[in-house]
Amino acid sequence: MNKVQMKKDKIPPIALGTWSWGSGVNGGDAVFGNSLSEKELKPVYVAAMQAGFNLWDTAAVYGMGASETILGSFIKEQGASQVILSTKFTPGFSEDVEGSLNDSLNRLGVDHTDIYWIHSPKDVDRWTAELISLMKSGKVKHAGVSNHNLEEIKRAAAILNKEGFELSAVQNHYSLIYRSSEEAGIIDYCNQHGLVFFSYMVLEQGALTDKYSAVNPFKAGTRRGDAFNSEVLRDLTPLIELLKEMGQQHNVDAAAISIAYALAKGTVPIIGVTKTKHIDGAVAAANVSLSEEEIHKLEAAAKATGVEIKGAWEKSMVETD
């Protein structure tokens, strides 16, 4: 497995997301229409660690602590020495960064997090500055910003640099059908300044996996079911067919091609994992090398769908105000 350099550390090429772990506000039941327990998820955790995918991405706001609690139970049982942890502070859900971090660390059963993200660009100056004391204390190893546009990323980096610290990573929505961060020059900026760009929703919550379609839609009444309704899934059909065709050529499934695309663009994709087969898919995707011709074909097919869906919490990355 080819590792990715993040400042002085090396991380896996793919991170594993736990947004759908557990139930509650912003949890797996409300967003994805599932309700997964520790018993169901433990084999996923074990398989991932055995495969070398040890970077786990979570957030205090996912199920309002449910995701962190489940992940923490596995870490406590299996040991924390090999785990790389990524969790987040979400402005608006809390006004106390240190308190929120301490709660996260308690749920996770660790004394520090490898990456701590400011989850939204609300008041960049205020929340970025709050990371400094946490980095000084050793509770935060790497600082990251999520859902920030280019100007906000630059501002966050400057605030940290002034105090002798660095911004290590950016985490934004990025997929075949949502390339706002690329179009805004954010990925290029990250490459030029030694920042790791983590791409979330590379599979568009399952819409780019060939598991769902207009005749087999998402569960109604869920966040992803409302966003990717039957009409949208119908529009995506030609792209899904190309993903399947390309997958057959590489001996992988459609989802692996979607992940491989994000890898080919120089990003670290975050994929949600709820089954052991998702770990097999990550292994397969990490070994796919797409040609420039294949990348262009995928991008043309994606553009032709006319589909571009961003979350209610997102703004266009092209905006600078």
Side-chain angles (χ1 to χ4, degrees):
M1 181 190 300
N2 293 323
K3 297 277 188 173
V4 173
Q5 196 74 38
M6 185 172 68
K7 299 305 179 183
K8 296 180 180 179
D9 295 322
K10 289 186 180 293
I11 60 173
I14 295 171
L16 305 182
T18 62
W19 188 1
S20 60
W21 289 22
S23 304
V25 178
N26 294 312
D29 52 346
V31 178
F32 302 92
N34 58 34
S35 183
L36 299 166
S37 67
E38 291 181 19
K39 182 179 178 180
E40 294 166 299
L41 292 166
K42 183 178 176 181
V44 180
Y45 180 84
V46 172
M49 296 297 288
Q50 289 176 344
F53 290 104
N54 62 338
L55 200 171
W56 296 91
D57 183 78
T58 184
V61 76
Y62 298 164
M64 299 310 288
S67 171
E68 290 179 328
T69 298
I70 294 173
L71 179 59
S73 72
F74 302 148
I75 293 170
K76 291 167 191 174
E77 183 178 323
Q78 303 288 322
S81 62
Q82 301 301 315
V83 180
I84 302 173
L85 285 173
S86 159
T87 192
K88 310 178 187 78
F89 170 80
T90 306
F93 284 87
S94 173
E95 297 295 303
D96 179 6
V97 180
E98 185 173 10
S100 182
L101 174 61
N102 287 337
D103 288 343
S104 290
L105 297 181
N106 287 334
R107 286 188 289 265
L108 292 164
V110 295
D111 61 6
H112 77 280
T113 183
D114 295 282
I115 315 173
Y116 200 46
W117 307 88
I118 300 300
H119 205 180
S120 88
K122 182 181 179 181
D123 200 341
V124 175
D125 287 26
R126 176 185 178 184
W127 299 120
T128 306
E130 292 278 354
L131 292 174
I132 294 165
S133 63
L134 301 177
M135 297 181 79
K136 287 180 178 178
S137 72
K139 289 182 178 180
V140 171
K141 192 172 184 181
H142 294 279
V145 293
S146 181
N147 300 308
H148 287 50
N149 66 26
L150 184 55
E151 292 307 310
E152 290 159 346
I153 292 165
K154 290 178 179 179
R155 178 62 186 151
I159 291 167
L160 293 171
N161 288 344
K162 187 176 179 181
E163 296 296 325
F165 293 97
E166 291 184 293
L167 185 67
S168 293
V170 172
Q171 182 180 149
N172 285 349
H173 179 186
Y174 181 77
S175 75
L176 264 168
I177 60 171
Y178 195 81
R179 297 168 56 200
S180 184
S181 285
E182 182 180 7
E183 292 157 358
I186 293 172
I187 294 178
D188 282 344
Y189 178 85
C190 288
N191 291 336
Q192 292 163 7
H193 292 83
L195 306 178
V196 178
F197 183 93
F198 286 78
S199 48
Y200 72 78
M201 283 176 61
V202 294
L203 298 176
E204 293 295 349
Q205 300 185 337
L208 299 181
T209 66
D210 186 36
K211 182 178 178 182
Y212 302 95
S213 66
V215 295
N216 181 36
F218 294 110
K219 184 177 179 179
T222 62
R223 188 182 296 171
R224 67 175 178 175
D226 293 341
F228 292 96
N229 56 39
S230 294
E231 183 178 346
V232 173
L233 291 171
R234 188 176 298 112
D235 290 340
L236 288 174
T237 299
L239 174 60
I240 301 302
E241 290 301 317
L242 177 60
L243 288 168
K244 287 167 59 178
E245 176 189 320
M246 212 170 277
Q248 290 170 355
Q249 294 167 359
H250 288 274
N251 200 30
V252 297
D253 62 14
I257 298 299
S258 295
I259 298 167
Y261 171 79
L263 288 165
K265 302 296 281 193
T267 81
V268 173
I270 302 171
I271 61 168
V273 288
T274 57
K275 299 178 177 66
T276 54
K277 68 179 182 181
H278 295 157
I279 307 305
D280 296 333
V283 172
N287 289 309
V288 172
S289 180
L290 296 175
S291 68
E292 286 297 320
E293 181 182 359
E294 288 174 319
I295 291 169
H296 292 320
K297 284 179 68 175
L298 287 168
E299 290 176 344
K303 186 175 182 180
T305 67
V307 175
E308 182 182 273
I309 295 176
K310 66 176 184 286
W313 63 91
E314 294 184 78
K315 61 182 179 181
S316 171
M317 288 297 123
V318 178
E319 295 176 353
T320 57
D321 58 0

